[in-house]
Amino acid sequence: TTEEIFLARYLAHDLLGTEMIFSANATMGGISDVLGADGSTTSYEELSNTDLIMVLGTAIYPFYPMLGLRVVKAVKNGAKLLLVSNEAGPLTPRAALKMPMGADVNVLKQIAKALLNKNPKPEASGVEALAASLADVEISAEAQAMADAYAEAKNAVIVFDRSRSSRAAAQLIADIAVLAGHIGKPRSGIIQMRMRNNSQGLADMGIRKNMSDLNDKVYQKEVRGLVLIGQDIPEEMAKG
């Protein structure tokens, strides 16, 4: 629970004087690298009344059925659905536009570059660095159509699964929302889904180091004592 996370952080930070707090459910960066906060910027309620929804990276029904129902409700209310996914699912027949995600972030880069071409001087920091990183990206007709529809919508929400997305993908998703001006206004923004229990609470409490980070600290002999709360140490780490 959030209360338990708070108390664990209090024990580590305030009583033991350490920032070395780890969790198996923690994720490092992504949206927060662009927006400063690691969490959704809009709500399920606003999703039901937006004009366009872009679902990225996964068929959401098997993992987040309640959110899937919200998307269907929004489409029935008139929202246009854009689907970027390698998997077919219940949302596929409802999509106005769809294209495969592929195996990396190239599709997201294409959409971001298409948006940047439409608005080369957005009111945002870091645009020059982003443009340089996209210099060699070639935009497909499918990605251009996605970018056009997303940019031209009055209100639009991106839905993606952070548990199955890389940090680089999450960063690009936030960049896309910023470039199109779909951040900081009603019925627009990003819904970031997290599969594990209270992963958002960990992010809100500033706990972003995961067990891989702990493993590195152990093998670097930077850990002399370890307090475990609610989970066991991984077997390979225990073997040393």
Side-chain angles (χ1 to χ4, degrees), residues 4 9 19 24 43 50 52 64 66 82 96 98 132 182 189 191 207 212-213 224 238:
E4 290 169 332
R9 189 181 187 284
E19 292 292 344
S43 66
T50 193
L52 181 144
Y64 310 96
M66 295 306 296
L82 312 183
K98 49 184 174 287
H182 288 313
I191 291 181
I207 299 174
S212 177
D213 299 313
R224 296 185 178 182

Side-chain angles (χ1 to χ4, degrees), residues 111-174:
I111 295 173
K113 185 171 184 178
L115 291 170
L116 196 56
N117 289 344
K118 292 172 72 69
N119 182 18
K121 295 183 178 181
E123 296 182 4
S125 61
V127 175
E128 291 183 359
L130 176 62
S133 72
L134 301 174
D136 297 328
V137 174
E138 296 184 5
I139 305 169
S140 68
E142 293 170 303
Q144 185 66 57
M146 289 276 181
D148 289 343
Y150 179 67
E152 292 165 8
K154 182 178 180 180
N155 304 297
V157 175
I158 294 177
V159 176
F160 82 106
D161 186 350
R162 181 65 179 91
S163 301
R164 295 175 178 81
S165 301
S166 66
R167 181 175 184 172
Q171 290 171 341
L172 280 165
I173 289 166

